[in-house]
């Protein structure tokens, strides 16, 4: 028969064990969704004047994270061309950063259902407005692009004789255009539109690039992560049904962008 001392020690051991188990269980309950984005892709993901990382995409993924049952949505800002490597090494769970669904990217990651429909436009100085009306007018000239974007990929195919100058962010392309380092800056339509909306000058104008198919933004996950992808698609549908998607759209675009899919 165990002595009273042994019984006490056993009881203490069990109590401590239960306490540790309880703490571990509590720690496991805190679910974190690791999100990667670029920090210079307004209005989707960018740093404001206060130094805060904000944007349509971040409001959307936080709303979706709640629907998916996550306690925390941890946002990590990375260079645009570093997003896919980060997801391939499991440093992040997903990418949401005005990320266009494309065949090239689909070879490396899996995409959610699209949540935004857009195309490409190019900005030119007003002095060149009549000379540079369509994409073919840019061939053989200096063109500003962002590294790794669909605009860059499009230009590589469509402008065989152009000098393609690639930069880390859209603001860099605009600065180069303003300084006369290129005749046009190619970016996604909402990014160029957001720049023009906030640009104080009147010397830059926008031109539409006509493509056969519209482009769509999606949320990217690692290849084969069907469980997370399923949760993302379900959450996206839920925030649309609840009206939260519309609220976020109105905040950033002044309209419900889900109407573009109807």
């Amino acid at each position: 028969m165990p002595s009273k001392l042994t019984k006490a020690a056993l009881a203490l051991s069990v109590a401590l064990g239960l306490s540790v188990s309880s703490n571990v269980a509590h720690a496991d309950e805190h679910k974190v969704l690791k999100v990667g984005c670029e920090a210079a892709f307004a209005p989707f993901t960018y740093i404001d004047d206060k130094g805060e990382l904000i944007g349509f995409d971040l409001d959307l993924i936080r709303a979706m994270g709640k629907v998916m049952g996550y306690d925390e949505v941890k946002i990590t800002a990375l260079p645009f061309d570093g997003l896919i490597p980060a997801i391939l090494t499991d440093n992040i769970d997903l990418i949401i950063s005005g990320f266009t669904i494309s065949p090239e990217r689909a070879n490396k990651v899996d995409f959610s259902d699209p949540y935004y429909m857009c195309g490409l436009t190019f900005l030119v100085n007003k002095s060149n407005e009549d000379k540079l009306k369509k994409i073919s007018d840019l061939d053989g000239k200096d063109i500003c692009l962002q590294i790794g974007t669909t605009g860059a990929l499009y230009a590589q195919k469509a402008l065989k004789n152009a000098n393609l100058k690639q930069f880390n962010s859209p603001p860099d392309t605009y600065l180069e255009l303003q300084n006369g380092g290129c005749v046009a800056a190619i970016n996604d339509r909402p990014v160029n539109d957001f720049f023009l909306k906030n640009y104080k000058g009147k010397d830059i104008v926008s031109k539409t690039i006509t493509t056969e198919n519209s482009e769509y933004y999606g949320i990217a996950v690692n290849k084969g992560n069907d469980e997370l992808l399923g949760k993302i698609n379900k959450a996206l549908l839920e925030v649309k049904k609840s009206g939260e998607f519309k609220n976020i759209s109105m905040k950033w675009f002044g309209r419900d962008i889900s109407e573009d899919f109807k």
Side-chain angles (χ1 to χ4, degrees):
M1 179 179 293
S3 66
K4 290 183 178 180
L5 182 61
T6 303
K7 288 181 179 180
L10 181 61
L12 179 61
S13 175
V14 170
L16 288 173
L18 288 173
S19 176
V20 171
S21 298
S22 177
N23 288 337
V24 170
H26 180 73
D28 289 343
E29 288 172 2
H30 188 77
K31 297 173 62 179
V32 179
L33 182 64
K34 297 180 292 182
V35 176
C37 71
E38 185 199 5
F41 202 67
F44 294 93
T45 54
Y46 70 104
I47 297 174
D48 66 8
D49 295 337
K50 298 177 182 178
E52 296 179 2
L53 188 59
I54 62 171
F56 170 85
D57 280 355
L58 303 188
D59 285 354
L60 176 60
I61 198 60
R62 287 186 178 112
M64 290 173 60
K66 289 181 181 179
V67 172
M68 288 189 281
Y70 285 94
D71 301 296
E72 179 185 353
V73 176
K74 183 180 179 182
I75 310 292
T76 301
L78 298 165
F80 191 79
D81 56 353
L83 289 171
I84 288 181
I87 209 168
L88 296 179
T89 53
D90 293 321
N91 287 317
I92 56 176
D93 298 317
L94 62 85
I95 300 168
I96 184 167
S97 192
F99 213 56
T100 305
I101 299 171
S102 70
E104 294 87 355
R105 290 173 182 162
N107 288 328
K108 300 178 180 178
V109 297
D110 287 335
F111 281 100
S112 71
D113 294 334
Y115 65 89
Y116 185 87
M117 181 174 70
C118 78
L120 297 171
T121 61
F122 63 91
L123 302 184
V124 298
N125 285 302
K126 195 169 181 63
S127 58
N128 287 327
E129 184 176 10
D130 295 331
K131 303 173 188 175
L132 307 174
K133 294 182 177 180
K134 53 187 183 298
I135 190 67
S136 59
D137 294 334
L138 304 182
D139 209 10
K141 297 177 174 60
D142 294 334
I143 310 300
C144 293
L145 308 157
Q146 183 186 6
I147 299 170
T149 61
T150 51
L153 294 173
Y154 177 83
Q156 289 167 10
K157 296 176 181 178
L159 304 173
K160 298 295 185 181
N161 300 310
N163 177 29
L164 305 180
K165 304 174 71 172
Q166 302 198 46
F167 299 87
N168 289 323
S169 69
D172 292 335
T173 67
Y174 304 141
L175 185 60
E176 187 73 2
L177 175 63
Q178 290 170 288
N179 290 336
C182 59
V183 299
I186 299 176
N187 287 296
D188 287 352
R189 182 187 70 186
V191 179
N192 279 345
D193 286 350
F194 185 76
F195 166 75
L196 288 177
K197 178 183 176 183
N198 294 282
Y199 181 55
K200 304 302 181 183
K202 297 182 179 180
D203 56 325
I204 293 179
V205 295
S206 176
K207 300 287 185 178
T208 300
I209 295 176
T210 302
T211 56
E212 293 181 3
N213 300 300
S214 296
E215 294 180 325
Y216 297 89
Y217 289 171
I219 299 168
V221 302
N222 215 337
K223 271 286 185 186
N225 195 345
D226 297 334
E227 181 180 356
L228 178 57
L229 194 62
K231 290 180 180 178
I232 289 170
N233 285 332
K234 184 177 180 181
L236 180 58
L237 188 60
E238 285 296 318
V239 295
K240 286 184 176 181
K241 286 183 177 179
S242 70
E244 186 65 15
F245 187 92
K246 180 179 179 180
N247 292 338
I248 298 170
S249 294
M250 294 300 293
K251 172 184 174 181
W252 290 101
F253 301 103
R255 65 185 185 91
D256 183 4
I257 61 172
S258 64
E259 295 292 330
D260 295 340
F261 290 86
K262 296 180 180 180

